[in-house]
Amino acid sequence: VSSSSSAPWHHIENLDLFFSRISFRRAGCTPPSPGLSKNGFTCMLIGEIFELMQFIFVVAFTTFLISCVDYDILFANKAVNHSQHPSEPIKVTLPDAFLPPNVCSARIQANSFLICILVIAGVFWIHRLVKFIYNICCYWEIHSFYINALKIPMSTLPYYTWQEVQARIVQIQKEHQICIHKKELTELDIYHRILRFKNYMVAMVNKSLLPIRFRLPLLGDTVFYTRGLKYNFELIFFWGPGSLFENEWSLKAEYKRAGNRLELAEKLSTRILLIGIANFLLCPLILIWQILYAFFSYTEILKREPGSLGARCWSLYGRCYLRHFNELDHELHSRLSKGYKPASKYMNCFISPLLTIVAKNVAFFAGSILAVLIALTIYDEDVLAVEHVLTTVTLLGVGITVCRSFIPDQHLVFCPEQLLRVILAHIHYMPDHWQGNAHRYETRDEFAQLFQYKAVFILEELLSPIITPLILIICLRPKSLDIVDFFRNFTVEVVGVGDTCSFAQMDVRQHGHPAWMSAGKTEASIYQQAEDGKTELSLMHFAITNPKWQPPRESTAFIGFLKERVHRDSSVALAQQAVLPENALFSSIQSLQSESEPHSLIANVIAGSSVLGFHMGRDGQASRHLSEVASALRSFSPLQSAQQPPSSFQTAGRDGEGAQPRGASAMTASGADARTVSSGSSAWEGQLQSMILSEYASTEMSLHALYMHELHKQHAQLEPERHTWHRRESDESGESAHEELDAQRGAPVPIPRSASYPFSSPRQPAEETATLQTGFQRRYGGITDPGTVHRAPSHFSRLPLGGWAEDGQSARHPEPVPEESSEDELPPQIHKV
């Protein structure tokens, strides 16, 4: 922070790091705030201190076990006599197995390999200590910013939502000019600075650029993406020596032009090779640390809860694949946590009958032996003194626990398709071919790549030091040219923010997919399209999460079109009386919902869809799904704020336009401070209000995800579209999808106003079309003045990640870029927004 300015927070030099620490500090508050892991300056300080102590303990304790313990005495292979009378009974104590300090020191000094490891560990610990001191200073600066600038005491910080903190940051910009490059900051500017590099990673995973999917001879299609591999990717691309970025907010100038792309690719390839060799050299040390840390962390848990390794967790690849553009860590964690239970239930559906029979019998035999040993121990405790009896009892207990995990509850009935729809409501992304195939083991195996066993996660982390160098040298180096082209083609310069990933702009015109309601609204080639509806779903998520955000005209028109479609489909549902029936299945699922009302609303939609679709064909069932989700979405768009909320989703379906779920009217002011809305209330009441608003926003996004997937499914049935879970080389020549067939059907109808879509006034369809036709063209060659040029959507043939060609050109044989051409002869690929 510049100390020469009159204001202490004027012109913060590194806003990326500053906003990230603000977000981490806000996300560091423990419950009652959701999604937070630490609480206040004191907890952060103590946590950092214990991390340093933990490292010292692992190194010192391992050294002690190697050099200072006499294992012959510990294992009773050598007798110890404490008295001068040999006839007296010998009682061995634990200190007897410890070597004297001089012997221990001599053994350490004689082991040169151990001394080398200790020196490296000492240097690494000093580095962490310096980093700890620096972080403490930064945390204290953020602590002062919250108190003095944002006027938020630390005692009440846990009761503020991120949107409330963000609103105060936007206001502080007007008063103190923390960013001198523009007068006002938007919510998207703050997200761009916090998630600059993560948006690039999400985009590269979305475009299948990173080598993390492999086809192995015996294992088939596998995904390998660990924390070590991710660290190396970020080291190469973003912040390591010789990376593509010259600082945290600016891509190097040479990577912004295509003139020397081959030279840059060769330079990047050499750098990847050097980092891969460095990983090979450090592999023994990293592997030893991984094994020791895993042993100290999980051995006690495995002994106490042997089934814990059979639990599942969202894989690192799954977190990146399922992440929206511009989604903070605590937002992603909250969303995936809500989908954890249905995901676990879905994976438990696939129990092998043969494996169940084997597990039952093995558990019977092991239990019989264990019962005898326990009975003998109860009769005479000296049985435990017999060699290996205690070990046998422990192993038998672990084996029985493992076998029971393979034996399903005989009273449970699983519905894979319904569970998969519940999962989709929370994770928002799913390959097309999963729908309708939830009962197949192929779908289960692919979902297991996103939702893996904890034991598999630990095993991958242990193997990471060995496999990571191979991936870098063998798989990543050949993609150097594609990586250089990716950063050139998909980097935009935003005023006041710097260079960001163009996908993070969530611009449907530049990166929309025709099969995801962007037909006629996008000019993107297949190379430019975000896969799996990432642009459209990310735009809806950000608009719902940040209701005060004013999207650009193209995004506003897309949101307006979606609202119109929701209104039209819900009107059809009401005309057909498509309300959820009051039957046994519907009532039982509703009664089993122990969570909040928004989650019950999702369950009611899915339960009703299952019941209503039982007596109709697949096409009719899909249409019914679409109408019901549209009706539920429309209930979140209140027209009369004074109306009383219904008590259930059935009432919302019968009352029609005027109905709204409980708390929906409060969502209209979801951007306001919860403490302001509930004036005179306590901090707990304000927190309750914030949680209600957050839950309804989450539910609205879940319904939007279901609705948009149903629309995409209808589009895929009308025109078969490739799915992107496994992208083949044959996809390189695919054409862009045609416009959505039913986009022009239906008469114009009034669009209901929603707090999630921040319009100044409702737009008519004609106005939206005009906006799309006259909107400014943010192409990669520069800026076109708004309203001066009318360009029809252009179609491109797909190319590898080096570029794209017009329809008349061959996609397989692109015209090469001259290697020696001058940079001034080619237009820059960076534009300002």
Side-chain angles (χ1 to χ4, degrees), residues 417 420 430-440 443 618 713:
E417 289 291 344
L420 205 59
M430 188 172 292
D432 298 341
H433 61 280
W434 285 8
Q435 299 190 28
N437 296 307
H439 60 285
R440 299 177 64 88
T443 304
R618 185 178 295 270
K713 184 177 179 181

Side-chain angles (χ1 to χ4, degrees), residues 732-733 797-800 805-806 809-814:
E732 299 294 331
S733 60
S797 298
R798 179 169 177 136
L799 287 176
E806 297 290 346
Q809 300 176 352
S810 172
R812 289 292 181 183
H813 304 283

Side-chain angles (χ1 to χ4, degrees), residues 650-664:
Q650 297 99 311
T651 310
R654 294 190 180 101
D655 291 347
E657 294 183 9
Q660 56 177 329
R662 186 179 298 113

Side-chain angles (χ1 to χ4, degrees), residues 62-74 78 96-116 118:
T62 304
T63 304
F64 174 80
L65 293 177
I66 293 174
S67 304
C68 302
V69 177
D70 190 344
Y71 290 98
D72 289 333
I73 295 178
L74 192 64
K78 183 169 63 175
D96 293 333
F98 299 159
L99 296 176
N102 56 341
V103 178
C104 180
S105 176
R107 294 183 63 176
I108 293 176
Q109 294 176 6
N111 193 337
S112 57
F113 179 74
L114 180 59
I115 293 178
C116 181
L118 291 177

